[in-house]
Every structure is written in structure tokens, then in C-alpha cells.
Amino acid sequence: MQTELSKQLGVEHAVFGFTPFPAVAAAISRAGGFGVLGAVRYTDPDDLKRDLDWIEAHVDGRPYGLDVVMPAKKVEGVSETDVEAMIPEGHRQFVTDTLAKYGVPGLADGEASGWRITGWMEHVARTQLDVAFDYPIRLLANALGSPPADVVARAHDQNVLVAALAGSARHARKHRDAGIDIVVAQGYEAGGHTGEIASMVLTPEVVDAVAPLPVLAAGGIGSGQQVAAALSLGAQGVWLGSIWLTTTEADLHSPALTRKLLAAGSADTVRSRSLTGKPARQLRTEWTDAWDDPDGPGTLPMPLQGLLVAEAVSRIQKYEVEPLLGTPVGQIVGRMTAQRDVRAVFDDLTRGFERAVDRINRIAGRSGQS
């Protein structure tokens, strides 16, 4: 599963694995792919330094990258406290009432919420970059489109490629014009924030829009056959995220959530604004149903929704309240039916890729004889 891009980066397989777990990122790189650590949860730079130190010690010299979340435009003079003050009281009461309905206990006195929107703020992302650029990362990806121009320039000065996610050809062209090196075409099927266009349509549109820039296909990919399809559509690799959630190296801290992921089918996800205020694909739960109910107050725009539900999400996760317990995940969840280690996932990807390529070669051979 090699392409020009994978050869440029020195990896065996053109499989880029996004994950919030350092152990998964390192295992992806060791297995011949390219591990990308999600940095959004690292509000303390010392925590990021600790985990990058760990990756360095466990990646066996293989390349890896970092994924941050930062807007292209900076908003001056607005603090998290200022934003939180904008949340209507009726929405706060809706959260309180919903948690009470399901008997969700509160956090202990002095215990902070484990999930905050803070990591989405630009100044936090910049502290993450100050740490990351002290390490030999080969790729910087931004989940909110093109990062600020000075960040792109800084990355290039350090010989770091820059990638940005796009949900349309229009977005992809903006990335190209901003000096981005790699465009990740993320289809409707993907976990987390997604657009409206399915991967089968989006990938070739983006490939044509930004040629000759390399494109990675993302969204609903979790088998070798799908990798082969992505490459046949012109992609230089694939960007996989959801498939790693049920690997043995992943640290979800929730047996109940792992069980729900393994039992879910591809129809058991929903694009909901309940987590961040923007449409994000996640497991459908009674929590997402409550927010999507037309009789409810409706969700708030980003970042208000994320601030509103941060403590509630932490409580639901801590106490594993199964009816409400969910996570961002793509439609590929229907293939995630057993826990496997990262190496086993790669073995399955390579076998499926070989079968798909052999099948196409046979078809092409027969066609040539007709």
C-alpha cells in the first residue's frame, strides 16, 4: 500500500492513523503506517511533552505527526469565561434536568471536568506547537481547516508537512491557496465533524480540485478493499480514525463504551450538534436524541455548546451511564466487531488490499482478452 507520499515520508503503508492515544499512534507507526496524535485534549503543555517523550521512546525511529485544532482567524480579547457567560439559563436547566432524569451523579468536590473546549482555542494550540516543534514530527494536521499563515510558515521552516481537512472541493482549494501540503478529503461517513458529501463522491472531486497536491481519503474507511478503492480514486493514502477506538492499545477508560462500539452497526451513528455545536458524527444515544428532539431547547453554536455540555459529558463518561454514553465515531463502526491490536488491524488491511488489487487485475485481464 505504497504511494509517492508514503515513500516521501518513509512509511511502508499509505495509512495515516489519527488517534488521541499515544500508544495507538506509536503502534500505527511501528506497524508501517503513519501515526498522528490528536492534541486537542492537551491543555497543559507538560502533559503533551510527557506523551511525545513516550512516543519517541516507543516508535522505533518511525515517523509520526500531530493533529491540532486551531482556527485560521484569531479572535482577540475573548476569554473562556466571556464565552461561557453567553450560555442561556434555559439550556443549563435542560442539561441539569436530563442528567437528573437518568440519575447521573455529580463530580466530587473540586473535581474538574475532564473534557473542555479550551483545547479548541488558538492560544492553547500554539502552546501545543511550541512543544511539538521540539520533536521530530513530520506532519502537522489541523482539523479546522488551514492553520494561520505563520504556523504554516513555521512548519515549513522545520521541514514539517502541513495537512488540513476538507469536506468539499471549495474548502480544498482554499487549503491549496493557503500553502497546505496535503488535503484530507473527509466524507460524510466519518466520525467527528463532517460535511454533507460522501467519500466516494468527495475524494475524486478534491483530487481534481487540488492536483498535483496529494490527497488523503477519509470517512468510513476500515478495510483493505476500501483503501484500494481510495487509491483508485486518486488519493495518495487514507486517513483512518474510528477503526482504532476498539484496538487493545486504545485507552477509552470505559468497558461499557467499548461494548457499545463493538455492538453498534453502521446505522447506529448520527450527525448531531449535541457535542460541540457543529454537526459531528457520533454514536446515537439518548443524549443525542434529547438534543435533537424538536421539543427541546436546541443546540447552541460553537463554542457555546461545548462549554455547556463539558461537565455533563465528563459525568456520563465517569459513571458509564450507558443510555447516554457515546463518542464520536464513523459509520465504519459496523465493522468494529472485536477488539484487536493495531498490528492485527494492519494485517487485515493489507490482506484486504491485496485481494482487491488481485480482483481488479483479473477483471482487467479478462477485459483485455475480450
Side-chain angles (χ1 to χ4, degrees), residues 125-147:
R126 287 185 179 274
T127 64
Q128 295 164 350
L129 295 178
D130 288 340
V131 172
F133 283 136
D134 286 336
Y135 291 82
I137 63 170
R138 296 293 310 281
L139 176 72
L140 173 66
N142 187 34
L144 282 184
S146 303

Side-chain angles (χ1 to χ4, degrees), residues 334-356:
R335 293 186 65 95
M336 297 155 52
T337 57
Q339 282 191 283
R340 302 175 292 170
D341 62 23
V342 167
R343 174 67 69 174
V345 173
F346 265 89
D347 289 344
D348 183 60
L349 290 172
T350 53
R351 285 194 297 265
F353 180 82
E354 290 169 357
R355 288 195 299 269

Side-chain angles (χ1 to χ4, degrees), residues 24 93 95 114 152 191 266 268 297 309 370:
V24 176
Q93 189 61 49
V95 170
V152 176
S266 57
D268 293 326
V309 305
S370 61

Side-chain angles (χ1 to χ4, degrees), residues 40 68-76 78 117-126 128-129 141-152 164 175 178 278 302-303:
V40 69
V68 297
V69 177
M70 62 190 311
K73 296 181 180 178
K74 186 174 183 177
V75 179
E76 300 281 1
V78 179
I117 204 71
T118 308
W120 293 66
M121 295 185 171
E122 183 189 350
H123 72 277
V124 176
R126 287 185 179 274
Q128 295 164 350
L129 295 178
N142 187 34
L144 282 184
S146 303
D150 68 294
V151 172
V152 176
H175 297 338
K278 284 191 174 183
M302 180 185 279

Side-chain angles (χ1 to χ4, degrees), residues 67 141-147 162-177 180 182-191 193-199 201-207 209-210 213-219 239:
D67 179 278
N142 187 34
L144 282 184
S146 303
V162 181
L165 275 65
S168 71
R170 178 175 62 86
H171 292 155
R173 283 189 287 268
K174 286 185 176 181
H175 297 338
R176 176 201 59 197
D177 295 343
I180 299 303
I182 302 168
V183 176
V184 181
Q186 179 168 280
Y188 172 83
E189 307 95 326
H193 295 124
T194 68
E196 303 282 349
I197 306 172
S199 299
V201 174
L202 179 65
T203 300
E205 284 188 355
V206 171
V207 168
V210 302
L213 281 187
V215 172
L216 301 178
W239 177 274

Side-chain angles (χ1 to χ4, degrees), residues 104-327:
V104 183
L107 299 176
D109 289 343
E111 183 178 359
S113 166
W115 186 87
R116 298 293 286 173
I117 204 71
T118 308
W120 293 66
M121 295 185 171
E122 183 189 350
H123 72 277
V124 176
R126 287 185 179 274
T127 64
Q128 295 164 350
L129 295 178
D130 288 340
V131 172
F133 283 136
D134 286 336
Y135 291 82
I137 63 170
R138 296 293 310 281
L139 176 72
L140 173 66
N142 187 34
L144 282 184
S146 303
D150 68 294
V151 172
V152 176
R154 184 180 179 188
H156 288 166
D157 286 344
Q158 300 199 204
N159 199 31
V160 175
L161 297 179
V162 181
L165 275 65
S168 71
R170 178 175 62 86
H171 292 155
R173 283 189 287 268
K174 286 185 176 181
H175 297 338
R176 176 201 59 197
D177 295 343
I180 299 303
D181 304 293
I182 302 168
V183 176
V184 181
Q186 179 168 280
Y188 172 83
E189 307 95 326
H193 295 124
T194 68
E196 303 282 349
I197 306 172
S199 299
M200 195 74 172
V201 174
L202 179 65
T203 300
E205 284 188 355
V206 171
V207 168
D208 291 344
V210 302
L213 281 187
V215 172
L216 301 178
I221 301 173
S223 71
Q225 294 92 323
Q226 291 169 308
V227 176
L231 299 189
S232 73
L233 293 173
Q236 288 256 345
V238 293
W239 177 274
L240 310 185
S242 298
I243 196 71
W244 315 112
L245 288 173
T246 52
T247 57
T248 55
E249 293 90 344
D251 192 9
L252 285 177
H253 296 294
S254 175
L257 181 54
T258 298
R259 287 196 301 271
K260 290 188 75 170
L261 287 168
L262 294 175
S266 57
D268 293 326
T269 68
V270 62
R271 285 173 77 243
S272 170
R273 298 178 183 268
S274 60
L275 187 61
T276 68
K278 284 191 174 183
R281 186 171 297 284
Q282 54 200 282
L283 278 182
R284 182 176 180 179
T285 66
E286 293 184 31
W287 177 257
T288 62
D289 285 349
W291 282 105
D292 294 338
D293 190 331
D295 292 331
T299 55
L300 297 171
M302 180 185 279
L304 299 182
Q305 183 71 16
L307 286 169
L308 170 66
V309 305
E311 181 181 321
V313 171
S314 291
R315 288 164 60 183
I316 292 166
Q317 292 174 345
K318 176 178 180 177
Y319 299 109
E320 295 191 295
V321 184
E322 292 207 32
L324 306 180
L325 186 62
T327 185

Side-chain angles (χ1 to χ4, degrees), residues 45-130:
D46 289 337
D47 291 340
L48 179 58
K49 184 179 186 305
R50 177 201 65 215
D51 283 354
L52 288 176
D53 283 339
W54 190 92
I55 289 176
E56 274 290 297
H58 292 83
V59 82
D60 295 344
R62 306 290 183 91
Y64 61 94
L66 191 76
D67 179 278
V68 297
V69 177
M70 62 190 311
K73 296 181 180 178
K74 186 174 183 177
V75 179
E76 300 281 1
V78 179
S79 68
E80 182 176 338
T81 302
D82 295 331
V83 175
E84 198 157 4
M86 302 176 190
I87 298 173
E89 186 56 39
H91 282 73
R92 295 184 189 276
Q93 189 61 49
F94 181 76
V95 170
T96 299
D97 292 345
T98 303
L99 295 177
K101 176 181 176 181
Y102 291 90
V104 183
L107 299 176
D109 289 343
E111 183 178 359
S113 166
W115 186 87
R116 298 293 286 173
I117 204 71
T118 308
W120 293 66
M121 295 185 171
E122 183 189 350
H123 72 277
V124 176
R126 287 185 179 274
T127 64
Q128 295 164 350
L129 295 178
D130 288 340

